[in-house]
Amino acid sequence: AGVYAAGKFCQIDGDQESGFNKIGYAAGVEVHRGIDAKTSWMTGVSFAERGSRSFNNPDAPNPFPFHYRIQSAEVPVYVLRNVQLEGLKIIAGVRGSYVFNARDALGAYSNLQEELRKMLFIMGAGIQYDAGAAWLRLEFQYGLNSMRKPVSSPFFIRSGVYHNNVVFSAILPLGKQ
């Protein structure tokens, strides 16, 4: 078992902005259980905030600036596999993400909560390193289902809207490992 904190660099396909320059975070607990000598699985629960924002370019200001903050409770189910290098693991899995709050921090877009699905599924893959006192994880997450409900929106493109994240985590193991 362990507690963790993560920094997320977020991007939403379909928000008409690009780049993983929107900062988010997560915190939670994990439980790891062995399957065999080289493989284990992990689950847990966490609070996460992701988002998206328009670029702040003084030379070409965005006529519709936004700063989306999307908060969710998440339950991951991952498989971890030891590789040849000591302390290094490959991780892959899926997380269910229940969106309980979505808002535009700038206040311009008041219907964001109504336009997003409550339940999202996010695929994750990456590496984890046992650094002794903590485990360090680098992960890429990609939405498996569109965040947007099938309604017309001037703020999202009509096709799918998927939330992508590059995540850096530190996990503090608790108890006997």
Side-chain angles (χ1 to χ4, degrees):
V3 295
Y4 76 94
K8 295 179 177 263
F9 299 88
C10 311
Q11 185 261 337
I12 296 179
D13 285 347
D15 68 0
Q16 303 179 44
E17 296 287 336
S18 62
F20 288 88
N21 63 339
K22 299 80 167 186
I23 306 300
Y25 58 89
V29 294
E30 296 181 350
V31 176
H32 297 244
R33 292 290 177 246
I35 295 173
D36 61 34
K38 289 191 169 195
T39 310
S40 61
W41 67 276
M42 177 272 290
T43 190
V45 64
S46 67
F47 169 83
E49 180 171 290
R50 296 178 181 82
S52 184
R53 69 183 327 149
S54 53
F55 285 110
N56 183 11
N57 182 350
D59 296 329
N62 187 329
F64 304 105
F66 61 88
H67 182 181
Y68 302 152
R69 299 179 75 156
I70 300 165
Q71 298 172 338
S72 60
E74 297 188 342
V75 175
V77 178
Y78 278 60
V79 173
L80 295 85
R81 177 83 176 164
N82 293 339
V83 295
Q84 295 294 332
L85 297 173
E86 184 68 29
L88 191 64
K89 296 179 180 177
I90 295 175
I91 65 169
V94 67
R95 62 183 59 238
S97 180
Y98 178 78
V99 176
F100 59 83
N101 186 24
R103 64 186 175 87
D104 182 350
L106 300 179
Y109 183 34
S110 61
N111 294 334
L112 184 62
Q113 179 79 34
E114 290 78 34
E115 288 208 15
L116 296 182
R117 296 180 192 272
K118 288 284 190 192
M119 196 67 208
L120 305 174
F121 294 95
I122 301 166
M123 173 187 67
I127 58 172
Q128 178 172 301
Y129 179 70
D130 180 352
W135 301 327
L136 304 176
R137 185 181 296 157
L138 172 62
E139 179 183 354
F140 179 76
Q141 299 174 345
Y142 188 83
L144 294 174
N145 63 325
S146 176
M147 297 174 64
R148 186 176 146 285
K149 291 178 183 175
V151 295
S152 177
S153 170
F155 295 95
F156 292 120
I157 60 174
R158 292 188 178 270
S159 63
V161 177
Y162 301 91
H163 213 149
N164 309 321
N165 303 278
V166 174
V167 183
F168 297 97
S169 306
I171 302 99
L172 178 62
L174 301 175
K176 183 181 174 188
Q177 301 300 319

